[in-house]
Amino acid sequence: MSATFSSLRFRNYRLWFGGALVANIGTWMQRVAQDWLVLTQLSHDSGVAVGVVTALQFAPILALSAWAGVLADRVDRRKLLMLTQGLMGVLAAGLGALVLSGHAQLWHVYLFALALGAVSAVDAPVRQTFVAELVPPDKLSNAVGLNSASFNAARLIGPGLAGLLIAAVGTGWVFLINAISFAGTILALVWMHSGELHRMPLAPRAKGQIREGLAYVRQRTDIMLIMVVMSVVSTFGLNFQLTSAMMARTVFHKGAGQYGILGSILAIGSLAGALLAARRERPRVRLVIGAAFGFGVAAGVLALMPTYPSFAIACIPVGLASLTMMTAANATIQMSTDPAVRGRVMSLYMMVFMGATPIGSPVVGWIGQQFGARWSIGIGSITALLVSTGAAIWAARAWRVQVRLRTRGRPHLVVRHLEAPTEAATEVVRTAA
């Protein structure tokens, strides 16, 4: 088996990969159906209303993530995932039944989005850390990359399928299909062999465990830098469902099917980025910063595309850059964090990464409504370029990074950290392509 798919040699990870793929397809279908329901049936093309729904779905992360991280370090992660996945399936079924009955109103969608966000806030750090129990430590980076591949393969299939189903049978049935899809993850968890899990230590119940996680992050400047970059880019740049819906509807005057296709095309680039990430043995902070800058450039180009076909094609590099950035950030933090506090650290990362969405989505929706849909993408491009440039300058000064180019001999590019963020001075060499 190639290095890209090496984690699939392990039975428990194969089960997880397959179950997650099914559930992720359903989740992407629901995201598209939810935004389309709000935009076209419940709010008369209001970008702000779509932004509020997205904000409510992610707002609980700000309030619950730290506590969820403590849970992820304390309890059996496998059992907790069965509970959270089941609850998300129940909520999807409830919203679907409400839509099919013809009684759905905007405030109903707001309420379900908030409830789903509360469950997801608990689910996210547990799901992130559970991957480390499915493979040996030296395969963690590969497993994280393949997780992203599964997520984006689902993104490739889900939005387009959702668009077709919305046009054929309506949004209500899409929600019900998503509810059924959670059975894939639950069955995968049930069928796993407990004896083959690489158990991480469970933290005993004690006072001050959230403060302990915060203190650990504060002393790690590399993790802090990643969190700053990801929070800014996430707030203003990673609002694809909102911005694509506004572009498809108000700029290109397309329907649900064409809107869903945009999500699938974006996933082509994301899937490519995920497969590249799976081959990367150890991502580094500089990759996060570089990918954030690349995302800013790609998003700027996307905002300027004059036609629907050119816009769709320009989604591919945006997907590639954003996925490279997200996967590198996730893997870098997980692989460099003490397992005893990994759940709490990942919960704090998810808080600043996903918790920024409640702030950004309404703002981006308002910008698109007031100044045009293209500016809802343009603001993400500008902020990504600014934060990545600022992070690179700070890192070069704080960690005393020296870069030397050599025209003769190999390696051609030498990056030397005179004051590395987590260890003594090290020298990293790369051969220029």
PDB file of all heavy atoms in Angstrom, residues 190-205:
ATOM      1  N   VAL A 190     -19.037   0.726  16.662  1.00  0.00           N
ATOM      2  CA  VAL A 190     -19.473  -0.527  17.316  1.00  0.00           C
ATOM      3  C   VAL A 190     -18.620  -1.701  16.851  1.00  0.00           C
ATOM      4  O   VAL A 190     -18.246  -2.578  17.640  1.00  0.00           O
ATOM      5  CB  VAL A 190     -20.962  -0.789  17.022  1.00  0.00           C
ATOM      6  CG1 VAL A 190     -21.366  -2.190  17.465  1.00  0.00           C
ATOM      7  CG2 VAL A 190     -21.834   0.258  17.716  1.00  0.00           C
ATOM      8  N   TRP A 191     -18.274  -1.742  15.564  1.00  0.00           N
ATOM      9  CA  TRP A 191     -17.553  -2.888  14.992  1.00  0.00           C
ATOM     10  C   TRP A 191     -16.049  -2.862  15.249  1.00  0.00           C
ATOM     11  O   TRP A 191     -15.352  -3.814  14.920  1.00  0.00           O
ATOM     12  CB  TRP A 191     -17.807  -2.949  13.479  1.00  0.00           C
ATOM     13  CG  TRP A 191     -19.214  -3.343  13.136  1.00  0.00           C
ATOM     14  CD1 TRP A 191     -20.098  -4.004  13.926  1.00  0.00           C
ATOM     15  CD2 TRP A 191     -19.913  -3.064  11.909  1.00  0.00           C
ATOM     16  NE1 TRP A 191     -21.308  -4.174  13.288  1.00  0.00           N
ATOM     17  CE2 TRP A 191     -21.223  -3.605  12.036  1.00  0.00           C
ATOM     18  CE3 TRP A 191     -19.576  -2.423  10.716  1.00  0.00           C
ATOM     19  CZ2 TRP A 191     -22.171  -3.524  11.025  1.00  0.00           C
ATOM     20  CZ3 TRP A 191     -20.517  -2.341   9.711  1.00  0.00           C
ATOM     21  CH2 TRP A 191     -21.795  -2.885   9.859  1.00  0.00           C
ATOM     22  N   MET A 192     -15.528  -1.796  15.821  1.00  0.00           N
ATOM     23  CA  MET A 192     -14.083  -1.722  16.066  1.00  0.00           C
ATOM     24  C   MET A 192     -13.635  -2.740  17.103  1.00  0.00           C
ATOM     25  O   MET A 192     -14.393  -3.102  18.008  1.00  0.00           O
ATOM     26  CB  MET A 192     -13.698  -0.312  16.544  1.00  0.00           C
ATOM     27  CG  MET A 192     -13.722   0.732  15.461  1.00  0.00           C
ATOM     28  SD  MET A 192     -13.278   2.366  16.105  1.00  0.00           S
ATOM     29  CE  MET A 192     -13.491   3.358  14.635  1.00  0.00           C
ATOM     30  N   HIS A 193     -12.397  -3.206  16.977  1.00  0.00           N
ATOM     31  CA  HIS A 193     -11.792  -4.099  17.955  1.00  0.00           C
ATOM     32  C   HIS A 193     -11.142  -3.273  19.060  1.00  0.00           C
ATOM     33  O   HIS A 193     -10.162  -2.570  18.817  1.00  0.00           O
ATOM     34  CB  HIS A 193     -10.754  -5.001  17.296  1.00  0.00           C
ATOM     35  CG  HIS A 193     -11.349  -6.026  16.380  1.00  0.00           C
ATOM     36  ND1 HIS A 193     -10.598  -6.736  15.457  1.00  0.00           N
ATOM     37  CD2 HIS A 193     -12.627  -6.462  16.228  1.00  0.00           C
ATOM     38  CE1 HIS A 193     -11.389  -7.558  14.793  1.00  0.00           C
ATOM     39  NE2 HIS A 193     -12.627  -7.412  15.236  1.00  0.00           N
ATOM     40  N   SER A 194     -11.672  -3.379  20.266  1.00  0.00           N
ATOM     41  CA  SER A 194     -11.155  -2.587  21.378  1.00  0.00           C
ATOM     42  C   SER A 194      -9.689  -2.880  21.655  1.00  0.00           C
ATOM     43  O   SER A 194      -8.912  -1.979  22.002  1.00  0.00           O
ATOM     44  CB  SER A 194     -11.984  -2.842  22.639  1.00  0.00           C
ATOM     45  OG  SER A 194     -13.323  -2.463  22.440  1.00  0.00           O
ATOM     46  N   GLY A 195      -9.288  -4.141  21.494  1.00  0.00           N
ATOM     47  CA  GLY A 195      -7.914  -4.517  21.785  1.00  0.00           C
ATOM     48  C   GLY A 195      -6.897  -3.919  20.838  1.00  0.00           C
ATOM     49  O   GLY A 195      -5.698  -3.909  21.140  1.00  0.00           O
ATOM     50  N   GLU A 196      -7.340  -3.435  19.674  1.00  0.00           N
ATOM     51  CA  GLU A 196      -6.429  -2.862  18.688  1.00  0.00           C
ATOM     52  C   GLU A 196      -6.343  -1.342  18.781  1.00  0.00           C
ATOM     53  O   GLU A 196      -5.623  -0.718  18.000  1.00  0.00           O
ATOM     54  CB  GLU A 196      -6.860  -3.272  17.275  1.00  0.00           C
ATOM     55  CG  GLU A 196      -6.781  -4.781  17.041  1.00  0.00           C
ATOM     56  CD  GLU A 196      -7.270  -5.175  15.657  1.00  0.00           C
ATOM     57  OE1 GLU A 196      -7.577  -4.261  14.845  1.00  0.00           O
ATOM     58  OE2 GLU A 196      -7.367  -6.379  15.374  1.00  0.00           O
ATOM     59  N   LEU A 197      -7.085  -0.748  19.713  1.00  0.00           N
ATOM     60  CA  LEU A 197      -7.013   0.700  19.882  1.00  0.00           C
ATOM     61  C   LEU A 197      -5.724   1.090  20.601  1.00  0.00           C
ATOM     62  O   LEU A 197      -5.286   0.404  21.523  1.00  0.00           O
ATOM     63  CB  LEU A 197      -8.216   1.199  20.696  1.00  0.00           C
ATOM     64  CG  LEU A 197      -9.592   1.109  20.025  1.00  0.00           C
ATOM     65  CD1 LEU A 197     -10.687   1.483  21.014  1.00  0.00           C
ATOM     66  CD2 LEU A 197      -9.661   2.017  18.795  1.00  0.00           C
ATOM     67  N   HIS A 198      -5.116   2.188  20.181  1.00  0.00           N
ATOM     68  CA  HIS A 198      -3.913   2.708  20.818  1.00  0.00           C
ATOM     69  C   HIS A 198      -4.355   3.729  21.866  1.00  0.00           C
ATOM     70  O   HIS A 198      -4.378   4.934  21.626  1.00  0.00           O
ATOM     71  CB  HIS A 198      -2.987   3.350  19.775  1.00  0.00           C
ATOM     72  CG  HIS A 198      -2.528   2.401  18.719  1.00  0.00           C
ATOM     73  ND1 HIS A 198      -1.329   1.730  18.790  1.00  0.00           N
ATOM     74  CD2 HIS A 198      -3.138   1.991  17.571  1.00  0.00           C
ATOM     75  CE1 HIS A 198      -1.204   0.954  17.719  1.00  0.00           C
ATOM     76  NE2 HIS A 198      -2.286   1.100  16.968  1.00  0.00           N
ATOM     77  N   ARG A 199      -4.729   3.224  23.021  1.00  0.00           N
ATOM     78  CA  ARG A 199      -5.354   4.047  24.049  1.00  0.00           C
ATOM     79  C   ARG A 199      -4.431   5.169  24.514  1.00  0.00           C
ATOM     80  O   ARG A 199      -3.272   4.938  24.843  1.00  0.00           O
ATOM     81  CB  ARG A 199      -5.733   3.192  25.253  1.00  0.00           C
ATOM     82  CG  ARG A 199      -6.728   2.075  24.941  1.00  0.00           C
ATOM     83  CD  ARG A 199      -8.130   2.593  24.827  1.00  0.00           C
ATOM     84  NE  ARG A 199      -9.098   1.500  24.756  1.00  0.00           N
ATOM     85  CZ  ARG A 199     -10.413   1.690  24.626  1.00  0.00           C
ATOM     86  NH1 ARG A 199     -10.893   2.916  24.569  1.00  0.00           N
ATOM     87  NH2 ARG A 199     -11.234   0.660  24.557  1.00  0.00           N
ATOM     88  N   MET A 200      -4.961   6.380  24.534  1.00  0.00           N
ATOM     89  CA  MET A 200      -4.244   7.490  25.137  1.00  0.00           C
ATOM     90  C   MET A 200      -4.636   7.582  26.608  1.00  0.00           C
ATOM     91  O   MET A 200      -5.739   7.168  26.986  1.00  0.00           O
ATOM     92  CB  MET A 200      -4.581   8.807  24.418  1.00  0.00           C
ATOM     93  CG  MET A 200      -4.046   8.879  23.009  1.00  0.00           C
ATOM     94  SD  MET A 200      -4.126  10.574  22.345  1.00  0.00           S
ATOM     95  CE  MET A 200      -5.874  10.914  22.447  1.00  0.00           C
ATOM     96  N   PRO A 201      -3.760   8.116  27.452  1.00  0.00           N
ATOM     97  CA  PRO A 201      -4.088   8.197  28.876  1.00  0.00           C
ATOM     98  C   PRO A 201      -5.294   9.099  29.111  1.00  0.00           C
ATOM     99  O   PRO A 201      -5.469  10.118  28.440  1.00  0.00           O
ATOM    100  CB  PRO A 201      -2.819   8.798  29.490  1.00  0.00           C
ATOM    101  CG  PRO A 201      -2.134   9.498  28.366  1.00  0.00           C
ATOM    102  CD  PRO A 201      -2.436   8.696  27.147  1.00  0.00           C
ATOM    103  N   LEU A 202      -6.142   8.697  30.069  1.00  0.00           N
ATOM    104  CA  LEU A 202      -7.294   9.507  30.459  1.00  0.00           C
ATOM    105  C   LEU A 202      -6.919  10.334  31.682  1.00  0.00           C
ATOM    106  O   LEU A 202      -6.365   9.813  32.654  1.00  0.00           O
ATOM    107  CB  LEU A 202      -8.501   8.626  30.773  1.00  0.00           C
ATOM    108  CG  LEU A 202      -9.068   7.811  29.607  1.00  0.00           C
ATOM    109  CD1 LEU A 202     -10.260   6.971  30.072  1.00  0.00           C
ATOM    110  CD2 LEU A 202      -9.489   8.725  28.460  1.00  0.00           C
ATOM    111  N   ALA A 203      -7.203  11.607  31.621  1.00  0.00           N
ATOM    112  CA  ALA A 203      -6.867  12.494  32.740  1.00  0.00           C
ATOM    113  C   ALA A 203      -7.831  12.250  33.898  1.00  0.00           C
ATOM    114  O   ALA A 203      -9.043  12.112  33.686  1.00  0.00           O
ATOM    115  CB  ALA A 203      -6.943  13.951  32.297  1.00  0.00           C
ATOM    116  N   PRO A 204      -7.347  12.172  35.125  1.00  0.00           N
ATOM    117  CA  PRO A 204      -8.237  12.015  36.277  1.00  0.00           C
ATOM    118  C   PRO A 204      -9.034  13.290  36.516  1.00  0.00           C
ATOM    119  O   PRO A 204      -8.623  14.381  36.113  1.00  0.00           O
ATOM    120  CB  PRO A 204      -7.267  11.745  37.434  1.00  0.00           C
ATOM    121  CG  PRO A 204      -6.001  12.416  37.011  1.00  0.00           C
ATOM    122  CD  PRO A 204      -5.937  12.266  35.522  1.00  0.00           C
ATOM    123  N   ARG A 205     -10.177  13.163  37.179  1.00  0.00           N
ATOM    124  CA  ARG A 205     -10.982  14.329  37.514  1.00  0.00           C
ATOM    125  C   ARG A 205     -10.224  15.194  38.520  1.00  0.00           C
ATOM    126  O   ARG A 205      -9.759  14.702  39.546  1.00  0.00           O
ATOM    127  CB  ARG A 205     -12.319  13.883  38.105  1.00  0.00           C
ATOM    128  CG  ARG A 205     -13.278  15.038  38.432  1.00  0.00           C
ATOM    129  CD  ARG A 205     -14.551  14.503  39.042  1.00  0.00           C
ATOM    130  NE  ARG A 205     -15.259  13.657  38.090  1.00  0.00           N
ATOM    131  CZ  ARG A 205     -16.147  14.107  37.205  1.00  0.00           C
ATOM    132  NH1 ARG A 205     -16.412  15.407  37.155  1.00  0.00           N
ATOM    133  NH2 ARG A 205     -16.755  13.286  36.384  1.00  0.00           N
TER     134      ARG A 205
END
